[in-house]
Amino acid sequence: MNYLFSSESVTKGHPDKVADRISDSILDSALAQDKNSRVACETAVKNNLVLVFGEITTNANLDYEAIVRETIKEIGYNSDELGFNASNVSVQVELSKQSSEIAMGVDKEDLDQGAGDQGIMFGYASNETDSLMPLAIDLAHKLSLRLTEVREKNIISGLRPDGKTQVTIEYDSNNNPVRIDTIVISTQHDPSHTQETLREALTKHVINEVIKNGLLDKNTKILINPTGSFILGGPAADSGLTGRKIIVDSYGGYARHGGGAFSGKDASKVDRSAAYMLRYLAKHIVAANLANKVELQIAYAIGKAEPVSLFIETFYTEKVDKELIYKVIKDNFDLRPKAIIKKLELQKPVFKNTSSYGHFGVNALDQKWEKLDDLEVFKELVK
């Protein structure tokens, strides 16, 4: 029996992504000056108000208001007409230092630095796409990236920063994608556009430029701004909050999620660093042809360096005994937080550009956790 599965993506102008991008811009600014910065920065946006709050311990000298305004301007909110304007937003900052009780467990220079919190994290990879991501989220992100590109390059005039995409894939009974059932694109625009003009422009310049895998057919449904118009958007229409798009950030719902958000957190927070490491390992397992798809789970206790558990699920697609996969990870990869930070180079200011369009896959291919630089270690199992 065939079945349908959908995933969504959003542009960097979506209110929640405005918040994520501000938080990660502050993180990057702190790391650029002090690589040992401890950052847990949240952002809320609504109308012309930005509230930055949380805990930051750093030797960096940061102008938070300037960072906020520059980030909003870069996103594209630079006009009063949009109801949210980088030049005159009200910026409120409520930041304190990290709790001393948490700091006791994580402020160590050696590899015994403890996890910044307890929790569970997941990593996933699949051979459905070249990026080793599930197909629906891979295409949804590509559509969102292209939607932003045609706005910023004025390929389609009159578009505004807020936008969403969604892709529904039809799978056969063997879990193989066979066609695209539905594409949804909602984009903010100025009053010059009608639903019909947008449909024509987005089909030509976005959908046809992205979807070239032969999975579109005469029965594929294309829905453009289904409510008819989308003039008021961004924080003027909806509030935004850091960490409210965790499924968009990861695997589009195709794999499980531990619940912890990524943006605004330095890598001592295993919500971020361990999830990145598990993606790195999962990608290697699939790329080495040890399994067609794999999901890994890890768990940590606050202040403790060694993980509490590691679980590997290959959904009956493994090509070697799973015990061998466990062994190659155990023998070759240190999963203590400090070791992950060192291996994936997570004390560098590399996070802002991951805050939209996914932390994994096409948007992050130049990041260390997406590199396949340990492939030979895994290929040894199939020689």
Side-chain angles (χ1 to χ4, degrees), residues 184-201:
V184 183
I185 300 180
S186 297
T187 182
Q188 188 186 10
H189 59 90
D190 69 22
S192 68
H193 278 290
T194 67
Q195 192 175 34
E196 290 72 27
T197 62
L198 280 174
R199 180 184 178 88
E200 181 180 353

Side-chain angles (χ1 to χ4, degrees), residues 119-122 246 256-261 271 297:
I120 59 174
M121 302 87 213
F122 289 89
I246 58 176
R256 286 173 285 192
H257 195 294
D271 282 336
Q297 185 212 56

Side-chain angles (χ1 to χ4, degrees), residues 255-306:
R256 286 173 285 192
H257 195 294
F262 301 149
S263 288
K265 298 176 180 178
D266 75 89
S268 71
K269 282 73 171 173
V270 282
D271 282 336
R272 184 166 219 162
S273 53
Y276 287 2
M277 188 64 189
L278 291 191
R279 165 62 177 171
Y280 179 84
L281 293 174
K283 194 171 181 181
H284 277 78
I285 291 167
V286 172
N289 200 32
L290 305 185
N292 292 338
K293 55 184 173 180
V294 64
E295 182 182 72
L296 293 88
Q297 185 212 56
I298 201 165
Y300 291 89
I302 188 169
K304 300 298 182 181
E306 292 288 348

